């Protein structure tokens, strides 16, 4: 019985064995080349990864914040506030107590990873202000703090007026962020 199948296989498929051998050889060569390219890409990627510095999040040392905290100035004997800024910077800064964010809302943008903040800024000063710096604090639904993002806006708000800033991209936020509270940190006279 085996003899019959051998004769049928030899007679009918005589040239297919050579074609099959060539196809297997070509496939194995191209697979081998692909495997070599993959290995080379892995080696290069690991080499680059080893050259990158360690991130602050994975070290055992306490992380120092890059953001400086600003303490309110103490009043002096004359009743005027003592400012830590030099005389050259003093005329350029604006009084923040007369600048208020009157309304604010936020939503997600960029497939849910970016925060877009809409707020109205009221300027009660007798001069226009520019280079407004805002800081937005994001929190979970239960109120626990997640992250802070800041942004400097180069727009000008005229004196005794208000201006609405619509959908300002503040930055990337955590997916668990549910609440946002923005505050004005700095501004300059225009």
């Amino acid at each position: 019985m085996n003899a019959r199948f051998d004769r049928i296989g030899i007679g009918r498929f005589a040239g297919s064995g050579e074609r099959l051998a060539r196809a297997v050889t070509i496939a194995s060569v191209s697979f081998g080349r692909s495997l070599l390219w993959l290995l080379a890409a892995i080696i290069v990627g690991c080499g680059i990864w080893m050259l990158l510095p360690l991130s602050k999040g994975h070290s055992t040392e306490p992380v120092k914040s890059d953001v400086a905290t600003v303490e309110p100035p103490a009043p002096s004997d004359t009743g005027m506030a003592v400012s830590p800024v030099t005389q050259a910077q003093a005329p350029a800064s604006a009084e923040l107590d007369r600048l208020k964010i009157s309304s604010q809302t936020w939503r997600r943008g960029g497939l849910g990873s970016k925060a877009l903040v809409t707020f109205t800024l009221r300027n009660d000063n007798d001069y226009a202000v520019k280079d407004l710096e805002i800081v937005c604090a994001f929190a979970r639904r239960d109120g626990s703090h997640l992250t802070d993002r800041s942004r400097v806006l180069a727009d000008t708000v005229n004196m005794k007026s208000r201006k609405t800033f619509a959908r300002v991209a503040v930055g990337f936020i955590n997916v668990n962020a549910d609440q946002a509270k923005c505050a004005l940190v700095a501004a300059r006279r225009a």
Side-chain angles (χ1 to χ4, degrees):
M1 190 173 208
N2 290 337
R4 280 183 76 201
F5 286 125
D6 289 339
R7 278 185 272 162
I8 292 173
I10 293 172
R12 208 183 264 181
F13 305 108
S16 66
E18 293 173 11
R19 281 186 257 143
L20 182 62
R22 266 189 255 138
V24 168
T25 304
I26 291 171
S28 65
V29 168
S30 66
F31 178 74
R33 286 182 184 163
S34 299
L35 194 59
L36 284 175
W37 279 110
L38 178 64
L39 183 63
I42 289 172
I43 290 171
V44 168
C46 288
I48 291 172
W49 179 65
M50 294 296 282
L51 292 176
L52 291 176
L54 290 175
S55 67
K56 291 181 182 179
H58 292 92
S59 67
T60 57
E61 301 173 5
V63 179
K64 295 180 182 176
S65 176
D66 294 338
V67 179
T69 58
V70 179
E71 297 178 13
S76 65
D77 294 335
T78 60
M80 296 180 61
V82 177
S83 178
V85 296
T86 62
Q87 290 296 329
Q89 294 174 340
S93 65
E95 292 181 33
L96 291 180
D97 58 343
R98 305 209 59 190
L99 293 170
K100 304 278 186 214
I101 294 178
S102 59
S103 68
Q104 64 182 354
T105 59
W106 78 284
R107 68 178 201 157
R108 293 182 183 274
L111 299 175
S113 62
K114 293 182 182 179
L116 302 175
V117 178
T118 300
F119 63 95
T120 301
L121 183 71
R122 190 176 68 206
N123 182 9
D124 289 333
N125 289 315
D126 293 330
Y127 49 85
V129 292
K130 65 177 182 176
D131 296 337
L132 309 163
E133 182 177 359
I134 62 167
V135 172
C136 296
F138 294 92
R140 290 186 175 95
R141 186 176 306 251
D142 63 357
S144 60
H145 179 74
L146 281 173
T147 186
D148 293 332
R149 294 289 178 248
S150 65
R151 174 81 192 264
V152 176
L153 304 169
D155 267 347
T156 302
V157 179
N158 294 327
M159 64 179 202
K160 304 281 185 187
S161 68
R162 58 182 76 189
K163 186 170 188 174
T164 300
F165 296 89
R167 291 187 291 275
V168 175
V170 178
F172 291 102
I173 58 169
N174 191 312
V175 69
N176 297 321
D178 190 56
Q179 303 170 8
K181 178 70 177 164
C182 297
L184 190 64
V185 177
R188 290 183 19 186
R189 288 185 184 214

